[in-house]
CSV table of all heavy atoms in Angstrom, one decimal:
chain,number,residue,atom,x,y,z
R,231,TYR,N,0.8,-1.2,0.0
R,231,TYR,CA,0.0,0.0,0.0
R,231,TYR,C,0.9,1.3,0.0
R,231,TYR,O,0.5,2.3,-0.7
R,231,TYR,CB,-0.9,0.0,1.2
R,231,TYR,CG,-2.3,-0.7,1.0
R,231,TYR,CD1,-2.7,-1.7,1.7
R,231,TYR,CD2,-3.1,-0.3,-0.1
R,231,TYR,CE1,-3.9,-2.4,1.5
R,231,TYR,CE2,-4.3,-0.9,-0.3
R,231,TYR,CZ,-4.7,-1.9,0.5
R,231,TYR,OH,-5.9,-2.5,0.3
R,232,ALA,N,2.0,1.2,0.8
R,232,ALA,CA,2.9,2.4,0.8
R,232,ALA,C,3.4,2.7,-0.6
R,232,ALA,O,3.5,3.8,-1.0
R,232,ALA,CB,4.0,2.2,1.8
R,233,ARG,N,3.9,1.6,-1.2
R,233,ARG,CA,4.5,1.8,-2.6
R,233,ARG,C,3.5,2.3,-3.6
R,233,ARG,O,3.8,3.2,-4.3
R,233,ARG,CB,5.0,0.4,-3.0
R,233,ARG,CG,5.6,0.4,-4.4
R,233,ARG,CD,6.2,-1.0,-4.7
R,233,ARG,NE,6.7,-1.2,-6.0
R,233,ARG,CZ,5.9,-1.7,-7.0
R,233,ARG,NH1,4.7,-2.1,-6.7
R,233,ARG,NH2,6.4,-1.8,-8.2
R,234,ALA,N,2.3,1.8,-3.6
R,234,ALA,CA,1.2,2.2,-4.5
R,234,ALA,C,0.8,3.6,-4.2
R,234,ALA,O,0.5,4.4,-5.1
R,234,ALA,CB,0.1,1.2,-4.5
R,235,ALA,N,0.6,4.0,-2.9
R,235,ALA,CA,0.2,5.3,-2.6
R,235,ALA,C,1.3,6.3,-3.0
R,235,ALA,O,1.0,7.4,-3.5
R,235,ALA,CB,-0.1,5.4,-1.1
R,236,ASP,N,2.6,6.0,-2.7
R,236,ASP,CA,3.7,6.9,-3.1
R,236,ASP,C,3.7,7.1,-4.6
R,236,ASP,O,3.9,8.3,-5.0
R,236,ASP,CB,5.0,6.3,-2.6
R,236,ASP,CG,6.2,7.1,-3.0
R,236,ASP,OD1,6.5,8.0,-2.3
R,236,ASP,OD2,6.8,6.8,-4.1
R,237,ALA,N,3.4,6.1,-5.4
R,237,ALA,CA,3.4,6.3,-6.8
R,237,ALA,C,2.3,7.2,-7.3
R,237,ALA,O,2.4,7.8,-8.4
R,237,ALA,CB,3.2,4.9,-7.5
R,238,LEU,N,1.2,7.4,-6.5
R,238,LEU,CA,0.2,8.3,-6.8
R,238,LEU,C,0.4,9.7,-6.2
R,238,LEU,O,-0.5,10.5,-6.3
R,238,LEU,CB,-1.2,7.7,-6.3
R,238,LEU,CG,-1.6,6.4,-7.0
R,238,LEU,CD1,-2.8,5.8,-6.3
R,238,LEU,CD2,-2.0,6.7,-8.4
R,239,GLY,N,1.6,9.9,-5.6
R,239,GLY,CA,1.9,11.2,-5.1
R,239,GLY,C,1.7,11.5,-3.6
R,239,GLY,O,1.9,12.6,-3.1
R,240,VAL,N,1.4,10.4,-2.9
R,240,VAL,CA,1.2,10.6,-1.4
R,240,VAL,C,2.5,10.7,-0.7
R,240,VAL,O,3.4,10.0,-1.0
R,240,VAL,CB,0.4,9.4,-0.9
R,240,VAL,CG1,0.3,9.5,0.7
R,240,VAL,CG2,-1.0,9.3,-1.5
R,241,ASP,N,2.6,11.7,0.2
R,241,ASP,CA,3.9,11.9,1.0
R,241,ASP,C,3.8,11.0,2.2
R,241,ASP,O,2.8,11.1,3.0
R,241,ASP,CB,4.0,13.3,1.4
R,241,ASP,CG,4.5,14.2,0.3
R,241,ASP,OD1,4.7,13.7,-0.8
R,241,ASP,OD2,4.5,15.5,0.5
R,242,ILE,N,4.8,10.1,2.4
R,242,ILE,CA,4.8,9.2,3.5
R,242,ILE,C,5.9,9.7,4.5
R,242,ILE,O,7.1,9.8,4.1
R,242,ILE,CB,5.1,7.8,3.1
R,242,ILE,CG1,3.9,7.3,2.2
R,242,ILE,CG2,5.3,6.9,4.3
R,242,ILE,CD1,4.1,6.0,1.6
R,243,LEU,N,5.5,10.1,5.7
R,243,LEU,CA,6.4,10.7,6.6
R,243,LEU,C,6.6,9.8,7.8
R,243,LEU,O,5.7,9.7,8.7
R,243,LEU,CB,5.9,12.1,7.1
R,243,LEU,CG,5.7,13.1,5.9
R,243,LEU,CD1,4.9,14.3,6.4
R,243,LEU,CD2,7.0,13.5,5.2
R,244,GLN,N,7.7,9.1,7.9
R,244,GLN,CA,8.0,8.2,9.0
R,244,GLN,C,8.6,9.0,10.2
R,244,GLN,O,9.2,10.1,9.9
R,244,GLN,CB,8.9,7.1,8.6
R,244,GLN,CG,8.3,6.2,7.5
R,244,GLN,CD,9.2,5.0,7.2
R,244,GLN,OE1,9.2,4.0,7.9
R,244,GLN,NE2,9.9,5.1,6.1
R,245,HIS,N,8.5,8.5,11.4
R,245,HIS,CA,9.1,9.1,12.6
R,245,HIS,C,8.6,10.6,12.7
R,245,HIS,O,9.4,11.5,13.0
R,245,HIS,CB,10.7,9.1,12.5
R,245,HIS,CG,11.2,7.7,12.3
R,245,HIS,ND1,11.1,6.7,13.2
R,245,HIS,CD2,11.8,7.1,11.2
R,245,HIS,CE1,11.7,5.6,12.8
R,245,HIS,NE2,12.1,5.8,11.5
R,246,THR,N,7.3,10.7,12.5
R,246,THR,CA,6.7,12.0,12.6
R,246,THR,C,5.4,11.9,13.5
R,246,THR,O,4.3,11.8,13.1
R,246,THR,CB,6.2,12.5,11.2
R,246,THR,OG1,7.4,12.4,10.3
R,246,THR,CG2,5.7,14.0,11.3
R,247,PRO,N,5.6,11.9,14.8
R,247,PRO,CA,4.5,11.7,15.8
R,247,PRO,C,3.7,13.0,15.8
R,247,PRO,O,4.2,14.1,15.7
R,247,PRO,CB,5.2,11.4,17.1
R,247,PRO,CG,6.5,12.0,17.0
R,247,PRO,CD,6.9,11.9,15.6
R,248,VAL,N,2.4,12.8,16.0
R,248,VAL,CA,1.5,13.9,16.2
R,248,VAL,C,1.4,14.2,17.7
R,248,VAL,O,1.0,13.3,18.5
R,248,VAL,CB,0.0,13.6,15.6
R,248,VAL,CG1,-0.9,14.7,16.0
R,248,VAL,CG2,0.1,13.5,14.1
R,249,THR,N,1.7,15.4,18.0
R,249,THR,CA,1.8,15.8,19.5
R,249,THR,C,0.6,16.7,19.9
R,249,THR,O,0.5,17.0,21.0
R,249,THR,CB,3.1,16.5,19.8
R,249,THR,OG1,3.3,17.6,18.9
R,249,THR,CG2,4.3,15.6,19.6
R,250,GLY,N,-0.1,17.2,18.9
R,250,GLY,CA,-1.3,18.0,19.2
R,250,GLY,C,-2.2,18.2,18.0
R,250,GLY,O,-1.7,18.0,16.8
R,251,ILE,N,-3.5,18.4,18.2
R,251,ILE,CA,-4.4,18.7,17.2
R,251,ILE,C,-5.0,20.1,17.4
R,251,ILE,O,-5.6,20.3,18.5
R,251,ILE,CB,-5.5,17.6,17.1
R,251,ILE,CG1,-4.9,16.2,16.7
R,251,ILE,CG2,-6.6,18.0,16.1
R,251,ILE,CD1,-5.9,15.1,16.7
R,252,ASN,N,-4.9,20.9,16.5
R,252,ASN,CA,-5.4,22.3,16.6
R,252,ASN,C,-6.7,22.5,15.9
R,252,ASN,O,-6.8,22.2,14.7
R,252,ASN,CB,-4.3,23.3,16.1
R,252,ASN,CG,-3.0,23.1,16.7
R,252,ASN,OD1,-2.9,22.9,17.9
R,252,ASN,ND2,-1.9,23.2,15.9
R,253,CYS,N,-7.7,23.0,16.7
R,253,CYS,CA,-9.0,23.2,16.1
R,253,CYS,C,-9.4,24.7,16.3
R,253,CYS,O,-8.9,25.3,17.2
R,253,CYS,CB,-10.1,22.3,16.8
R,253,CYS,SG,-9.7,20.6,16.8
R,254,SER,N,-10.3,25.2,15.5
R,254,SER,CA,-10.7,26.6,15.6
R,254,SER,C,-12.2,26.6,15.2
R,254,SER,O,-12.6,26.1,14.2
R,254,SER,CB,-10.0,27.5,14.6
R,254,SER,OG,-10.5,28.8,14.6
R,255,GLU,N,-13.0,27.1,16.2
R,255,GLU,CA,-14.5,27.2,16.0
R,255,GLU,C,-15.1,25.8,15.6
R,255,GLU,O,-15.9,25.7,14.7
R,255,GLU,CB,-14.8,28.2,15.0
R,255,GLU,CG,-14.3,29.6,15.4
R,255,GLU,CD,-14.6,30.7,14.3
R,255,GLU,OE1,-15.1,30.3,13.2
R,255,GLU,OE2,-14.5,31.9,14.6
R,256,GLY,N,-14.6,24.8,16.3
R,256,GLY,CA,-15.2,23.4,16.1
R,256,GLY,C,-14.8,22.8,14.8
R,256,GLY,O,-15.4,21.8,14.4
R,257,LYS,N,-13.7,23.3,14.2
R,257,LYS,CA,-13.3,22.7,12.9
R,257,LYS,C,-11.8,22.5,12.9
R,257,LYS,O,-11.0,23.2,13.6
R,257,LYS,CB,-13.6,23.8,11.8
R,257,LYS,CG,-13.3,23.3,10.4
R,257,LYS,CD,-13.7,24.4,9.4
R,257,LYS,CE,-13.4,24.0,7.9
R,257,LYS,NZ,-13.8,25.0,7.0
R,258,ILE,N,-11.3,21.4,12.3
R,258,ILE,CA,-9.9,21.1,12.3
R,258,ILE,C,-9.1,22.2,11.6
R,258,ILE,O,-9.6,22.7,10.5
R,258,ILE,CB,-9.7,19.7,11.6
R,258,ILE,CG1,-8.3,19.2,11.9
R,258,ILE,CG2,-9.9,19.7,10.1
R,258,ILE,CD1,-8.1,18.7,13.3
R,259,LYS,N,-8.0,22.5,12.1
R,259,LYS,CA,-7.1,23.5,11.5
R,259,LYS,C,-5.8,22.9,11.1
R,259,LYS,O,-5.3,23.1,10.0
R,259,LYS,CB,-6.9,24.6,12.5
R,259,LYS,CG,-6.0,25.7,12.1
R,259,LYS,CD,-5.7,26.7,13.2
R,259,LYS,CE,-4.6,27.7,12.8
R,259,LYS,NZ,-4.3,28.6,14.0
R,260,SER,N,-5.1,22.2,12.0
R,260,SER,CA,-3.8,21.7,11.8
R,260,SER,C,-3.4,20.6,12.8
R,260,SER,O,-4.1,20.4,13.8
R,260,SER,CB,-2.7,22.8,11.8
R,260,SER,OG,-2.7,23.3,13.1
R,261,VAL,N,-2.3,19.9,12.5
R,261,VAL,CA,-1.8,19.0,13.5
R,261,VAL,C,-0.4,19.4,13.9
R,261,VAL,O,0.4,20.0,13.0
R,261,VAL,CB,-1.7,17.5,13.0
R,261,VAL,CG1,-3.1,17.0,12.8
R,261,VAL,CG2,-0.9,17.4,11.7
R,262,GLN,N,0.0,19.3,15.1
R,262,GLN,CA,1.3,19.6,15.6
R,262,GLN,C,2.2,18.4,15.6
R,262,GLN,O,1.8,17.3,16.1
R,262,GLN,CB,1.2,20.2,17.0
R,262,GLN,CG,2.4,21.1,17.4
R,262,GLN,CD,2.4,22.4,16.7
R,262,GLN,OE1,1.4,23.0,16.4
R,262,GLN,NE2,3.6,22.9,16.3
R,263,THR,N,3.4,18.5,15.0
R,263,THR,CA,4.3,17.3,14.9
R,263,THR,C,5.7,17.8,15.4
R,263,THR,O,6.0,18.9,15.6
R,263,THR,CB,4.4,16.8,13.5
R,263,THR,OG1,5.1,17.7,12.7
R,263,THR,CG2,3.0,16.6,12.9
R,264,ASN,N,6.6,16.8,15.4
R,264,ASN,CA,8.0,17.1,15.7
R,264,ASN,C,8.7,17.9,14.6
R,264,ASN,O,9.8,18.4,14.7
R,264,ASN,CB,8.8,15.9,16.0
R,264,ASN,CG,8.8,14.9,14.9
R,264,ASN,OD1,8.0,14.9,14.0
R,264,ASN,ND2,9.7,13.9,14.9
R,265,HIS,N,8.0,18.0,13.4
R,265,HIS,CA,8.5,18.8,12.3
R,265,HIS,C,7.8,20.2,12.3
R,265,HIS,O,7.9,20.9,11.3
R,265,HIS,CB,8.3,18.1,11.0
R,265,HIS,CG,9.2,16.9,10.8
R,265,HIS,ND1,10.5,16.9,10.7
R,265,HIS,CD2,8.8,15.6,10.7
R,265,HIS,CE1,11.0,15.7,10.6
R,265,HIS,NE2,10.0,14.9,10.6
R,266,GLY,N,7.0,20.5,13.3
R,266,GLY,CA,6.3,21.7,13.3
R,266,GLY,C,4.8,21.5,13.0
R,266,GLY,O,4.3,20.4,12.9
R,267,GLU,N,4.1,22.6,12.8
R,267,GLU,CA,2.7,22.6,12.5
R,267,GLU,C,2.4,22.3,11.0
R,267,GLU,O,3.1,22.8,10.1
R,267,GLU,CB,2.1,23.9,12.8
R,267,GLU,CG,0.5,23.9,12.8
R,267,GLU,CD,0.0,25.2,13.3
R,267,GLU,OE1,0.7,26.2,13.4
R,267,GLU,OE2,-1.2,25.3,13.7
R,268,ILE,N,1.5,21.3,10.8
R,268,ILE,CA,1.1,21.0,9.4
R,268,ILE,C,-0.4,21.3,9.2
R,268,ILE,O,-1.2,20.7,9.9
R,268,ILE,CB,1.4,19.5,9.1
R,268,ILE,CG1,2.9,19.2,9.2
R,268,ILE,CG2,0.9,19.1,7.7
R,268,ILE,CD1,3.3,17.7,9.0
R,269,PHE,N,-0.7,22.2,8.3
R,269,PHE,CA,-2.1,22.6,8.1
R,269,PHE,C,-2.8,21.5,7.2
R,269,PHE,O,-2.2,20.9,6.4
R,269,PHE,CB,-2.2,23.9,7.5
R,269,PHE,CG,-1.7,25.0,8.5
R,269,PHE,CD1,-0.4,25.4,8.5
R,269,PHE,CD2,-2.6,25.7,9.3
R,269,PHE,CE1,0.1,26.4,9.3
R,269,PHE,CE2,-2.2,26.7,10.2
R,269,PHE,CZ,-0.8,27.0,10.2
R,270,ALA,N,-4.1,21.3,7.5
R,270,ALA,CA,-4.8,20.3,6.7
R,270,ALA,C,-6.3,20.7,6.6
R,270,ALA,O,-6.9,21.2,7.6
R,270,ALA,CB,-4.7,19.0,7.4
């Protein structure tokens, strides 16, 4: 699955734990990781 997803352009980030989930007005905003904030 990782190989097939990568071939379709999916970024696979290992050793990237999520340390926080940021929400605003009841809606998802971003996730906090050891690489910083990633918006989604």
Side-chain angles (χ1 to χ4, degrees):
Y231 271 123
R233 175 175 175 269
D236 177 83
L238 294 171
V240 174
D241 286 355
I242 296 171
L243 305 168
Q244 300 183 81
H245 306 292
T246 309
V248 170
T249 56
I251 295 177
N252 303 320
C253 306
S254 177
E255 299 178 350
K257 184 178 179 181
I258 195 72
K259 178 187 172 188
S260 63
V261 294
Q262 201 71 37
T263 73
N264 59 343
H265 292 294
E267 190 174 17
I268 299 176
F269 293 88

